[in-house]
Amino acid sequence: MGSLFGTDGIRGSANVELTPELALSLGRSLIELLRGQGNERPAVIIGRDPRWSGEMLESALVAGITSAGGDARTVGVLPTAAVAHLTARSAAAAGAMISASHNPVGDNGIKFFGADGFKFSDDDEARLEALIDEAAASPRPRGTEIGRRLADPSAVARYIEYLASVVDLDLAGLKVVVDGANGAASSVAPQVYRQLGADVITIHCSPDGANINAGCGSTYPDVIAAAVIEHGADLGISHDGDADRLIAATATGAEVDGDVILAILAKHLHERGALRQGAVVTTVMTNLGFRRAMSALGIEVIETTVGDRYVLAAMRERGLNLGGEQSGHLIDLEHATTGDGILSAVLLMAVVHETGASLDELATVMQRLPQVLVNVKDVDRSRLDGAGQVWAAVKQIEDELGGGGRVLLRPSGTEPVVRVMIEAPELDQAQQIADNLATVVAAALAVH
């Protein structure tokens, strides 16, 4: 069996790659793993987003957990961060979230959290996978030793109450449009923002199991931008299917991506002496404008490879409290153990409230350089490191750009694709350089 886990749990086409049989096996191996850690009758909190296949996979995961002698505590449709929060604040030995985040409805995924609310480490995931065959052959509990499925109907209310209590905030007079991506945020996010006093208008907050991420949510920032202008709102908040991301829009319809939100939060914390060690963590995809803005503010930028797990690892290693990605996956370790798009929105609106500045004004903290990303498909990504022709072209571009731009080549972790990212002073210039370099990559790494 190849590795099941990617950078964010297991993900694949539901009922094809991610099957109920696999979910059942994972449930059994999870209990074996937890029992080996000293949990006699482990309890696992399970949440999901509203996509159709979630019910099927939840049932299978519950069956695996209970057949191995663990208890499954189901909390229904909730954001990923809610599962992490509820796990950390209970006696549960682990948590599991069934979601494919921003992916289309045909996909699904499973990610696991430890008792502390942090995502499973690489070692935990490897051990979980290794235990699948062993768990299948392990003795079967009987009678009252079989686990139980226990619903937790108060979980949603507890999570909403927590988010509304993070900051002392009165958003009365603030008009906000919320795009719930027809996903896990659809009910929770509007309730949180209304409880804080905001005037909330909702769009794409009517999940039917099939419409999750369908032309809406954080991967379609133009949708929230248009809605803010249409309703004359002060700002817009757009989440993804499992609500671990946030993309915002200003009153004038300008997109505020994860880089800009992270810059706003970092500046605000730094000015109040609350940014630990005066540093923030981000990834190689973060815009050069972010780095320049942080440098001007005296804030250190620590860079990791792409993936929130790597951002989190760097934060924990250095004892930092703020990090995130351009995609809008932001982590605030003062209040959460994983990315929480609703929490991020609350913190962003708190800055608006405390400073009295509009989001348009706050977003001027950084000036983004035009950034172009080209995916070069059907290439042998494993040969990238040794492709002298490619790296010679990269050096020539870097020499020409000087300090006014940036070149990044990154092989995909799952596809025969190499990603070419160019930042340059002008968009046309960035596009031309990216297209030219993509041609070199395609020729040098062509699959024979």
Side-chain angles (χ1 to χ4, degrees), residues 43-238:
V44 181
I45 292 178
I46 303 174
R48 61 181 175 85
D49 71 25
R51 68 188 72 214
W52 279 357
S53 59
E55 296 172 349
M56 171 188 73
L57 293 171
E58 179 187 69
S59 297
L61 186 62
V62 168
I65 289 168
T66 54
S67 74
D71 290 331
R73 298 180 182 173
T74 55
V75 296
V77 174
L78 268 177
T80 289
V83 173
H85 172 79
L86 293 167
T87 301
R89 299 206 170 195
S90 72
M97 177 66 184
I98 301 169
S99 173
S101 188
H102 57 283
N103 284 25
V105 67
D107 293 342
N108 217 323
I110 305 176
K111 61 189 81 173
F112 296 98
F113 297 89
D116 57 2
F118 287 99
K119 289 179 182 177
F120 268 18
S121 67
D122 290 343
D123 288 344
D124 284 335
E125 290 179 343
R127 180 61 179 151
L128 179 63
E129 186 171 342
L131 280 169
I132 286 179
D133 291 337
E134 182 178 327
S138 63
R140 300 288 179 125
R142 298 183 180 184
T144 56
E145 293 181 353
I146 295 172
R148 298 189 63 196
R149 176 181 186 142
L150 307 167
D152 184 355
S154 68
V156 175
R158 296 202 310 275
Y159 179 58
I160 290 173
E161 181 181 0
Y162 170 71
L163 288 178
S165 68
V166 166
V167 290
D168 184 10
L169 190 59
D170 181 2
L171 297 178
L174 191 72
K175 190 174 185 180
V176 181
V177 181
V178 179
D179 182 343
N182 291 316
S186 296
S187 172
V188 175
Q191 290 187 66
V192 171
Y193 308 147
R194 286 183 177 126
Q195 193 161 319
L196 291 171
D199 176 10
V200 178
I201 298 164
T202 59
I203 61 172
H204 306 296
C205 287
S206 301
D208 61 12
N211 59 1
I212 188 170
N213 300 317
C216 57
S218 62
T219 53
Y220 295 89
D222 291 350
V223 173
I224 190 66
V228 169
I229 292 174
E230 177 187 351
H231 294 283
D234 296 298
L235 57 89
I237 299 295
S238 188

Side-chain angles (χ1 to χ4, degrees), residues 73-435:
R73 298 180 182 173
T74 55
V75 296
V77 174
L78 268 177
T80 289
V83 173
H85 172 79
L86 293 167
T87 301
R89 299 206 170 195
S90 72
M97 177 66 184
I98 301 169
S99 173
S101 188
H102 57 283
N103 284 25
V105 67
D107 293 342
N108 217 323
I110 305 176
K111 61 189 81 173
F112 296 98
F113 297 89
D116 57 2
F118 287 99
K119 289 179 182 177
F120 268 18
S121 67
D122 290 343
D123 288 344
D124 284 335
E125 290 179 343
R127 180 61 179 151
L128 179 63
E129 186 171 342
L131 280 169
I132 286 179
D133 291 337
E134 182 178 327
S138 63
R140 300 288 179 125
R142 298 183 180 184
T144 56
E145 293 181 353
I146 295 172
R148 298 189 63 196
R149 176 181 186 142
L150 307 167
D152 184 355
S154 68
V156 175
R158 296 202 310 275
Y159 179 58
I160 290 173
E161 181 181 0
Y162 170 71
L163 288 178
S165 68
V166 166
V167 290
D168 184 10
L169 190 59
D170 181 2
L171 297 178
L174 191 72
K175 190 174 185 180
V176 181
V177 181
V178 179
D179 182 343
N182 291 316
S186 296
S187 172
V188 175
Q191 290 187 66
V192 171
Y193 308 147
R194 286 183 177 126
Q195 193 161 319
L196 291 171
D199 176 10
V200 178
I201 298 164
T202 59
I203 61 172
H204 306 296
C205 287
S206 301
D208 61 12
N211 59 1
I212 188 170
N213 300 317
C216 57
S218 62
T219 53
Y220 295 89
D222 291 350
V223 173
I224 190 66
V228 169
I229 292 174
E230 177 187 351
H231 294 283
D234 296 298
L235 57 89
I237 299 295
S238 188
H239 297 294
D240 63 333
D242 70 334
D244 63 357
R245 296 187 183 189
L246 163 67
I247 297 294
T250 72
T252 60
E255 178 187 348
V256 181
D257 68 7
D259 285 349
V260 182
I261 298 170
L262 189 62
I264 292 170
L265 297 179
K267 178 177 184 289
H268 189 69
L269 289 174
H270 190 56
E271 290 175 344
R272 283 151 184 76
L275 185 67
R276 292 186 197 166
Q277 299 183 38
V280 63
V281 181
T282 188
T283 77
V284 294
M285 291 300 293
T286 293
N287 195 276
L288 181 58
F290 177 87
R291 294 169 175 80
R292 291 176 172 175
M294 295 299 98
S295 177
L297 292 167
I299 297 173
E300 180 187 0
V301 176
I302 298 165
E303 188 178 278
T304 75
T305 190
V306 174
D308 70 280
R309 70 187 302 138
Y310 304 114
V311 172
L312 178 59
M315 292 172 66
R316 297 183 75 183
E317 180 180 349
R318 287 281 302 267
L320 307 180
N321 58 337
L322 186 65
E325 298 185 276
Q326 190 180 69
S327 63
H329 195 126
L330 309 175
I331 303 172
D332 170 22
L333 283 183
E334 297 288 356
H335 303 103
T337 55
T338 189
D340 188 332
I342 302 175
L343 170 64
S344 298
V346 169
L347 297 176
L348 179 63
M349 289 188 285
V351 178
V352 172
H353 174 74
E354 290 177 26
T355 63
S358 68
L359 186 54
D360 270 302
E361 293 168 326
L362 292 172
T364 62
V365 65
M366 63 168 280
Q367 298 299 317
R368 285 182 294 185
L369 267 71
Q371 188 180 79
V372 172
L373 179 66
V374 176
N375 292 322
V376 187
K377 301 179 180 180
D378 301 320
V379 292
D380 182 357
R381 67 184 189 274
S382 67
R383 289 167 32 215
L384 177 61
D385 286 346
Q389 181 183 355
V390 171
W391 295 111
V394 169
K395 185 178 187 310
Q396 182 178 346
I397 294 168
E398 289 176 336
D399 289 343
E400 293 172 356
L401 288 173
R406 196 164 62 102
V407 182
L408 176 67
L409 292 188
R410 185 172 67 88
S412 168
T414 57
E415 306 171 89
V417 169
V418 170
R419 309 194 196 284
V420 176
M421 192 275 284
I422 302 292
E423 290 173 347
E426 301 295 335
L427 179 59
D428 290 346
Q429 179 187 13
Q431 187 68 63
Q432 182 178 3
I433 294 172
D435 290 340

